[in-house]
Amino acid sequence: DRNGADLIEEIRRLGNRIPALVMSAYTDDGTLDRAQAAGAWMFMPKPVPLSVLMEAFESLAQRPAAALLVDDESALTENLAEAMASAGLDVIVSRTATEALSQHRRLDAAVVDYRLPDGSGIELARRLRARDPSIRILFISGCIDELRKKLPTELSKAETMGKPISTARVISWVGLAVSHPKPPRSD
């Protein structure tokens, strides 16, 4: 007897990166959290209107390269987002982990602050990687030494950058991350 989260975990364990959409009549926080932690790209409560389901799949199919920027410092995110957009990058700005996880676009890269108002950037990165193991992560932090010590093995290859950050270096990193070919998707 398996549920959607169990199935997603098995699919990821086998190396498949296909986006997983979970539909369930169970909408409690525990079920939602488990689906997200397993790598659900989107969670929809049943019954799901066919038009809503088709819209979700269309948005997935028509995605440009996108980067997620997650930091609660308004001035920093506004400046970085503007510079990234000027460089031709599609950027999604979130101020919290919850807000970041609520967006449903597929991402090529994420710039994530280590300390977020509602949790750890490390946990957010784990959940983003559960959705798509090929996402590239850049951690930024004013506590860079602490961050590097706490990075778990599965995120040890993620890039790190101490604050104050170089806008040019972040843009360069994101530009390379979104343009670098990703491994082929298993369908």
Side-chain angles (χ1 to χ4, degrees):
D1 191 33
R2 295 169 57 158
N3 61 33
D6 293 335
L7 180 59
I8 295 169
E9 287 172 350
E10 179 67 15
I11 289 169
R12 296 296 184 255
R13 189 185 65 71
L14 294 171
N16 194 310
R17 293 175 195 65
I18 190 167
L21 185 147
V22 173
M23 297 178 287
S24 178
Y26 302 100
T27 59
D28 58 281
D29 289 341
T31 301
L32 177 60
D33 287 345
R34 180 125 193 276
Q36 286 181 335
W41 161 67
M42 185 180 284
F43 184 93
M44 293 182 165
K46 286 182 179 177
V48 179
L50 184 58
S51 61
V52 172
L53 189 60
M54 294 308 295
E55 207 173 281
F57 286 125
E58 285 175 18
S59 74
L60 180 63
Q62 300 173 356
R63 72 166 188 87
L68 177 66
L69 173 59
V70 188
D71 196 306
D72 62 326
E73 292 181 39
S74 296
L76 174 68
T77 54
E78 288 170 15
N79 289 338
L80 266 179
E82 184 178 324
M84 292 165 88
S86 295
L89 299 167
D90 189 11
V91 63
I92 301 160
V93 176
S94 297
R95 305 224 188 272
T96 66
T98 303
E99 185 181 337
L101 290 169
S102 71
Q103 71 79 30
H104 299 297
R105 292 218 14 228
R106 297 238 336 266
L107 302 166
D108 295 303
V111 178
V112 178
D113 190 11
Y114 168 51
R115 291 186 176 169
L116 297 169
D118 61 345
S120 162
I122 291 173
E123 183 56 31
L124 171 60
R126 279 185 172 132
R127 289 185 175 217
L128 292 172
R129 280 266 169 93
R131 287 183 181 178
D132 183 350
S134 64
I135 188 172
R136 291 171 177 85
I137 306 286
L138 170 62
F139 286 105
I140 57 176
S141 179
C143 307
I144 198 70
D145 293 332
E146 178 183 331
L147 165 65
R148 288 178 179 149
K149 287 177 187 172
K150 291 192 175 187
L151 276 179
T153 304
E154 73 267 19
L155 292 171
S156 64
K157 293 189 181 193
E159 300 279 335
T160 59
M161 188 181 299
K163 291 181 180 180
I165 61 168
S166 160
T167 301
R169 282 186 56 211
V170 172
I171 292 171
S172 174
W173 182 89
V174 172
L176 288 171
V178 299
S179 65
H180 187 274
K182 293 174 104 176
R185 297 184 94 64
S186 303
D187 293 331

